């Protein structure tokens, strides 16, 4: 078996793309999107008619509603290819507004349901701010499953577990990027690869904690820079992988061993934690990497959401 097929023995493979025409070749179970991926997709000529058609069908509606129709249209096309779930993201500019996030998530889910897609096939993506996590708590109670994204700190993962979030997306590659940049000339790539990669270590810590305390929230490693990071997390609940890295795994034939094992985690010597708003904000503040990457990620997604707005507004 190639490395992708071997990986699928231990982990649910998810495609990280808005390009639904690429999906079938890798047979992922789920797919994830975000504003940047959707923006990248709609700029490709083959998707221009889909975008124009969707915008034309909802002409005269407020811009934010048209945007949600576009996001859901891409999600629906993806669900024709994958057998599982698609993740659709709430506007990142609402990351610090719990009520607005809940309202937008409900609207996105209603659009899916109006088109005949059941709730079990959709995850609403929300940034892992305190406000985002509280929005997810409300949404989960209402039967709307959430994927908490831009997760970099352990306190974010603990708070998501306490909120009953369905799934979290810790960002392996961006954690790696920060530590590599911070180390500068002192960075030793070989010493910080595989299980020693700082992003891999972060996901392994979260996975161990969840399994040790029987937390049902699924862990989906995200934002990979190389297949070494992916293989070091074989056994994680899910891994969301770009088409480029999926192709590399498909082309590889070296053996893939399970790296994360829930049976081992249940014996881990770790302590249960909980956070209120004040202690969560303090723990996040104390983690310079997480603070910087969360803010940077929200800004980047917000900028791409604004570009998508402009593109749609011009049609």
């Amino acid at each position: 078996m190639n490395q992708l097929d071997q990986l699928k023995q231990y982990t649910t493979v998810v495609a990280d793309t808005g390009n639904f025409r690429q999906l079938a070749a890798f047979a992922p179970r789920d797919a994830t999107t975000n504003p940047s991926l959707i923006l990248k997709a709609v700029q490709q000529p083959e998707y221009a008619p889909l975008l124009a058609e969707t915008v034309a069908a909802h002409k005269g509606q407020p811009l934010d509603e048209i945007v949600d129709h576009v996001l859901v249209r891409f999600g629906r096309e993806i669900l024709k290819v994958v057998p599982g779930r698609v993740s659709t993201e709430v506007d990142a500019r609402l990351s610090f507004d719990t009520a607005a996030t809940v309202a937008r998530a409900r609207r996105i889910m209603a659009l899916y349901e109006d088109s005949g897609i059941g709730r079990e096939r959709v995850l609403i993506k929300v940034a892992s701010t305190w406000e985002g996590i509280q929005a997810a708590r409300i949404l989960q109670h209402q039967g709307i499953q959430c994927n908490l994204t831009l997760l970099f700190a352990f306190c974010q993962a603990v708070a998501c577990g306490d909120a009953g979030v369905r799934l979290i997306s810790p960002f392996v590659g961006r954690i790696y990027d920060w530590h590599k940049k911070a180390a500068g000339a002192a960075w030793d790539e070989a010493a910080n690869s595989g299980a020693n990669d700082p992003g891999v270590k972060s996901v392994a810590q979260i996975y161990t904690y969840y399994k040790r305390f029987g937390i049902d929230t699924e862990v989906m490693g995200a934002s990979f820079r190389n297949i070494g990071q992916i293989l070091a997390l074989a056994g994680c609940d899910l891994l969301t992988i770009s088409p480029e890295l999926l192709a590399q795994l498909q082309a590889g034939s070296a053996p893939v061993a399970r790296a994360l094992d829930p049976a081992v985690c249940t014996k881990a010597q770790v302590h249960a934690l909980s956070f209120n708003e004040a202690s969560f904000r303090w723990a996040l503040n104390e983690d310079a990497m997480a603070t910087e990457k969360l803010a940077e990620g929200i800004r980047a997604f917000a900028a791409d959401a604004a570009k998508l707005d402009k593109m749609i507004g011009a049609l």
Side-chain angles (χ1 to χ4, degrees):
M1 285 191 289
N2 63 48
Q3 288 185 302
L4 180 57
D5 288 338
Q6 291 181 69
L7 180 64
K8 287 178 181 178
Q9 295 180 109
Y10 311 118
T11 291
T12 296
V13 170
V14 180
D16 196 15
T17 181
N19 187 340
F20 53 82
R21 295 195 171 99
Q22 281 186 302
L23 291 173
F26 307 111
R29 193 196 73 181
D30 297 351
T32 56
T33 65
N34 62 45
S36 303
L37 293 173
I38 295 293
L39 179 68
K40 185 178 174 184
V42 299
Q43 289 173 323
Q44 296 174 30
E46 62 263 43
Y47 293 109
L50 185 96
L51 177 65
E53 173 196 318
T54 306
V55 173
H58 302 284
K59 209 73 172 169
Q61 292 183 9
L63 180 59
D64 61 319
E65 291 185 24
I66 298 174
V67 169
D68 285 350
H69 279 288
V70 170
L71 299 181
V72 170
R73 179 63 190 276
F74 269 81
R76 285 165 49 203
E77 295 297 328
I78 286 168
L79 288 173
K80 292 176 184 176
V81 185
V82 302
R85 305 169 295 190
V86 67
S87 290
T88 297
E89 192 150 343
V90 169
D91 193 323
R93 292 166 290 191
L94 305 178
S95 295
F96 302 101
D97 188 331
T98 296
T101 296
V102 169
R104 195 70 174 262
R106 284 176 180 156
R107 187 169 77 194
I108 290 169
M109 188 59 77
L111 292 176
Y112 274 112
E113 291 183 313
D114 288 347
S115 63
I117 305 292
R119 289 187 174 196
E120 73 282 356
R121 299 203 68 198
V122 180
L123 291 167
I124 299 295
K125 278 180 89 172
V126 179
S128 301
T129 56
W130 178 258
E131 294 82 1
I133 295 168
Q134 302 321 304
R137 184 191 297 275
I138 294 165
L139 292 164
Q140 289 284 161
H141 278 296
Q142 295 173 354
I144 296 174
Q145 298 187 103
C146 297
N147 170 355
L148 271 286
T149 187
L150 294 174
L151 195 146
F152 304 98
F154 190 62
C155 64
Q156 291 174 295
V158 172
C160 285
D162 287 346
V165 166
R166 178 67 269 158
L167 180 147
I168 60 167
S169 298
F171 275 31
V172 177
R174 297 192 195 190
I175 294 172
Y176 162 88
D177 292 344
W178 189 92
H179 284 281
K180 184 174 181 177
K181 183 178 179 183
W187 179 259
D188 184 334
E189 187 67 38
N192 290 288
S193 64
N196 294 320
D197 183 296
V200 170
K201 285 161 73 172
S202 176
V203 176
Q205 180 190 20
I206 294 165
Y207 179 89
T208 299
Y209 183 87
Y210 279 6
K211 302 310 176 196
R212 170 65 181 82
F213 294 107
I215 295 166
D216 289 335
T217 301
E218 299 169 44
V219 182
M220 182 171 72
S223 162
F224 293 104
R225 298 292 176 258
N226 54 66
I227 62 170
Q229 293 172 334
I230 295 167
L231 298 176
L233 290 171
C236 193
D237 298 327
L238 307 95
L239 297 173
T240 183
I241 306 169
S242 70
E244 294 75 21
L245 292 176
L246 286 170
Q248 285 186 38
L249 288 165
Q250 206 171 51
S253 58
V256 175
R258 181 168 203 139
L260 300 183
D261 187 339
V264 174
C265 298
T266 56
K267 303 180 182 73
Q269 298 298 305
V270 293
H271 299 290
L273 298 172
S274 64
F275 294 92
N276 59 23
E277 182 176 355
S279 61
F280 174 90
R281 292 192 186 284
W282 179 252
L284 189 60
N285 181 73
E286 287 294 277
D287 188 332
M289 176 277 296
T291 297
E292 291 172 25
K293 298 310 283 186
L294 174 61
E296 177 186 276
I298 291 171
R299 284 195 299 267
F301 282 164
D304 283 341
K307 288 176 188 172
L308 186 58
D309 284 353
K310 191 173 180 182
M311 182 180 284
I312 289 169
L315 291 175

Short mmCIF file of all heavy atoms in Angstrom, two decimals, residues 9-34:
data_model
loop_
_atom_site.label_atom_id
_atom_site.label_comp_id
_atom_site.label_asym_id
_atom_site.label_seq_id
_atom_site.Cartn_x
_atom_site.Cartn_y
_atom_site.Cartn_z
N GLN A 9 -5.43 3.53 7.65
CA GLN A 9 -5.68 2.42 8.57
C GLN A 9 -5.77 2.90 10.02
O GLN A 9 -6.41 2.26 10.85
CB GLN A 9 -4.55 1.39 8.48
CG GLN A 9 -4.44 0.68 7.15
CD GLN A 9 -3.29 -0.31 7.15
OE1 GLN A 9 -3.48 -1.51 7.15
NE2 GLN A 9 -2.07 0.20 7.18
N TYR A 10 -5.12 4.02 10.30
CA TYR A 10 -5.05 4.52 11.67
C TYR A 10 -5.83 5.81 11.90
O TYR A 10 -6.20 6.13 13.03
CB TYR A 10 -3.58 4.82 12.05
CG TYR A 10 -2.60 3.72 11.74
CD1 TYR A 10 -1.56 3.93 10.84
CD2 TYR A 10 -2.71 2.48 12.35
CE1 TYR A 10 -0.64 2.93 10.55
CE2 TYR A 10 -1.79 1.47 12.08
CZ TYR A 10 -0.76 1.70 11.17
OH TYR A 10 0.14 0.71 10.89
N THR A 11 -6.04 6.58 10.83
CA THR A 11 -6.52 7.95 10.94
C THR A 11 -7.53 8.25 9.84
O THR A 11 -7.37 7.79 8.71
CB THR A 11 -5.31 8.92 10.79
OG1 THR A 11 -4.47 8.78 11.94
CG2 THR A 11 -5.75 10.37 10.68
N THR A 12 -8.54 9.04 10.17
CA THR A 12 -9.48 9.50 9.14
C THR A 12 -8.81 10.65 8.37
O THR A 12 -8.41 11.65 8.97
CB THR A 12 -10.79 9.99 9.77
OG1 THR A 12 -11.43 8.88 10.39
CG2 THR A 12 -11.72 10.58 8.72
N VAL A 13 -8.69 10.47 7.07
CA VAL A 13 -8.03 11.47 6.23
C VAL A 13 -9.06 12.46 5.69
O VAL A 13 -10.10 12.06 5.16
CB VAL A 13 -7.25 10.80 5.08
CG1 VAL A 13 -6.76 11.83 4.06
CG2 VAL A 13 -6.07 10.01 5.64
N VAL A 14 -8.75 13.73 5.83
CA VAL A 14 -9.62 14.83 5.41
C VAL A 14 -8.86 15.68 4.40
O VAL A 14 -7.65 15.90 4.56
CB VAL A 14 -10.03 15.68 6.63
CG1 VAL A 14 -10.94 16.83 6.22
CG2 VAL A 14 -10.71 14.81 7.68
N ALA A 15 -9.53 16.14 3.36
CA ALA A 15 -8.89 16.99 2.36
C ALA A 15 -9.08 18.45 2.74
O ALA A 15 -10.19 18.90 3.02
CB ALA A 15 -9.48 16.72 0.98
N ASP A 16 -7.99 19.19 2.74
CA ASP A 16 -8.00 20.61 3.13
C ASP A 16 -8.00 21.46 1.86
O ASP A 16 -6.95 21.91 1.40
CB ASP A 16 -6.74 20.89 3.97
CG ASP A 16 -6.84 22.20 4.74
OD1 ASP A 16 -7.94 22.75 4.85
OD2 ASP A 16 -5.78 22.66 5.23
N THR A 17 -9.19 21.67 1.28
CA THR A 17 -9.25 22.38 0.00
C THR A 17 -10.67 22.85 -0.30
O THR A 17 -11.63 22.28 0.20
CB THR A 17 -8.78 21.45 -1.16
OG1 THR A 17 -8.83 22.16 -2.39
CG2 THR A 17 -9.65 20.21 -1.27
N GLY A 18 -10.75 23.90 -1.11
CA GLY A 18 -12.05 24.32 -1.64
C GLY A 18 -12.22 23.85 -3.07
O GLY A 18 -13.24 24.07 -3.69
N ASN A 19 -11.19 23.17 -3.59
CA ASN A 19 -11.18 22.70 -4.97
C ASN A 19 -11.78 21.30 -5.02
O ASN A 19 -11.07 20.29 -4.95
CB ASN A 19 -9.74 22.70 -5.49
CG ASN A 19 -9.65 22.38 -6.97
OD1 ASN A 19 -10.57 21.81 -7.54
ND2 ASN A 19 -8.53 22.75 -7.59
N PHE A 20 -13.10 21.23 -5.17
CA PHE A 20 -13.77 19.93 -5.06
C PHE A 20 -13.46 19.01 -6.23
O PHE A 20 -13.64 17.80 -6.14
CB PHE A 20 -15.29 20.10 -4.88
CG PHE A 20 -15.97 20.97 -5.88
CD1 PHE A 20 -16.34 20.48 -7.11
CD2 PHE A 20 -16.26 22.30 -5.58
CE1 PHE A 20 -16.99 21.28 -8.04
CE2 PHE A 20 -16.92 23.12 -6.50
CZ PHE A 20 -17.28 22.60 -7.74
N ARG A 21 -12.94 19.55 -7.32
CA ARG A 21 -12.60 18.69 -8.46
C ARG A 21 -11.33 17.88 -8.21
O ARG A 21 -11.06 16.92 -8.93
CB ARG A 21 -12.47 19.53 -9.74
CG ARG A 21 -13.80 20.17 -10.15
CD ARG A 21 -13.79 20.70 -11.57
NE ARG A 21 -15.13 21.11 -11.98
CZ ARG A 21 -15.58 22.35 -11.98
NH1 ARG A 21 -14.80 23.33 -11.57
NH2 ARG A 21 -16.82 22.62 -12.37
N GLN A 22 -10.56 18.28 -7.21
CA GLN A 22 -9.34 17.52 -6.87
C GLN A 22 -9.61 16.36 -5.92
O GLN A 22 -8.77 15.49 -5.74
CB GLN A 22 -8.33 18.45 -6.17
CG GLN A 22 -7.54 19.36 -7.08
CD GLN A 22 -6.49 20.11 -6.29
OE1 GLN A 22 -6.80 20.83 -5.35
NE2 GLN A 22 -5.23 19.94 -6.65
N LEU A 23 -10.76 16.35 -5.29
CA LEU A 23 -10.99 15.47 -4.14
C LEU A 23 -11.01 13.99 -4.47
O LEU A 23 -10.45 13.18 -3.73
CB LEU A 23 -12.30 15.85 -3.45
CG LEU A 23 -12.31 17.19 -2.72
CD1 LEU A 23 -13.72 17.51 -2.23
CD2 LEU A 23 -11.35 17.17 -1.54
N ALA A 24 -11.70 13.62 -5.53
CA ALA A 24 -11.96 12.21 -5.80
C ALA A 24 -10.70 11.36 -5.86
O ALA A 24 -10.70 10.20 -5.44
CB ALA A 24 -12.74 12.06 -7.10
N ALA A 25 -9.60 11.93 -6.34
CA ALA A 25 -8.36 11.17 -6.51
C ALA A 25 -7.80 10.65 -5.20
O ALA A 25 -7.09 9.64 -5.18
CB ALA A 25 -7.31 12.04 -7.20
N PHE A 26 -8.15 11.30 -4.08
CA PHE A 26 -7.57 10.93 -2.79
C PHE A 26 -8.55 10.21 -1.87
O PHE A 26 -8.18 9.75 -0.80
CB PHE A 26 -7.01 12.17 -2.09
CG PHE A 26 -6.05 12.95 -2.95
CD1 PHE A 26 -6.39 14.21 -3.44
CD2 PHE A 26 -4.83 12.42 -3.31
CE1 PHE A 26 -5.52 14.92 -4.25
CE2 PHE A 26 -3.95 13.12 -4.13
CZ PHE A 26 -4.30 14.37 -4.60
N ALA A 27 -9.81 10.14 -2.26
CA ALA A 27 -10.86 9.46 -1.49
C ALA A 27 -10.83 9.81 0.01
O ALA A 27 -10.82 8.92 0.85
CB ALA A 27 -10.76 7.95 -1.69
N PRO A 28 -10.83 11.11 0.35
CA PRO A 28 -10.90 11.46 1.77
C PRO A 28 -12.31 11.23 2.29
O PRO A 28 -13.28 11.18 1.52
CB PRO A 28 -10.57 12.96 1.76
CG PRO A 28 -11.11 13.43 0.45
CD PRO A 28 -10.89 12.30 -0.52
N ARG A 29 -12.46 11.08 3.62
CA ARG A 29 -13.81 10.93 4.17
C ARG A 29 -14.51 12.27 4.28
O ARG A 29 -15.69 12.41 4.01
CB ARG A 29 -13.78 10.26 5.55
CG ARG A 29 -15.17 9.80 5.99
CD ARG A 29 -15.24 9.49 7.47
NE ARG A 29 -15.21 10.70 8.29
CZ ARG A 29 -15.23 10.70 9.62
NH1 ARG A 29 -15.27 9.56 10.27
NH2 ARG A 29 -15.20 11.83 10.31
N ASP A 30 -13.75 13.28 4.74
CA ASP A 30 -14.30 14.63 4.97
C ASP A 30 -13.49 15.64 4.17
O ASP A 30 -12.45 15.32 3.59
CB ASP A 30 -14.21 15.01 6.45
CG ASP A 30 -15.04 14.13 7.38
OD1 ASP A 30 -15.83 13.31 6.87
OD2 ASP A 30 -14.88 14.26 8.60
N ALA A 31 -13.97 16.89 4.19
CA ALA A 31 -13.22 17.99 3.60
C ALA A 31 -13.40 19.23 4.46
O ALA A 31 -14.45 19.43 5.07
CB ALA A 31 -13.68 18.27 2.17
N THR A 32 -12.37 20.06 4.51
CA THR A 32 -12.45 21.32 5.24
C THR A 32 -12.21 22.48 4.29
O THR A 32 -11.44 22.37 3.33
CB THR A 32 -11.41 21.39 6.38
OG1 THR A 32 -10.10 21.18 5.85
CG2 THR A 32 -11.68 20.36 7.44
N THR A 33 -12.88 23.59 4.55
CA THR A 33 -12.65 24.82 3.79
C THR A 33 -12.42 25.95 4.78
O THR A 33 -12.69 25.83 5.97
CB THR A 33 -13.85 25.17 2.89
OG1 THR A 33 -14.98 25.48 3.72
CG2 THR A 33 -14.20 24.03 1.95
N ASN A 34 -11.91 27.05 4.27
CA ASN A 34 -11.81 28.30 5.04
C ASN A 34 -11.86 29.44 4.03
O ASN A 34 -11.84 29.20 2.82
CB ASN A 34 -10.53 28.32 5.91
CG ASN A 34 -9.26 28.25 5.10
OD1 ASN A 34 -9.10 28.93 4.09
ND2 ASN A 34 -8.31 27.43 5.54
#
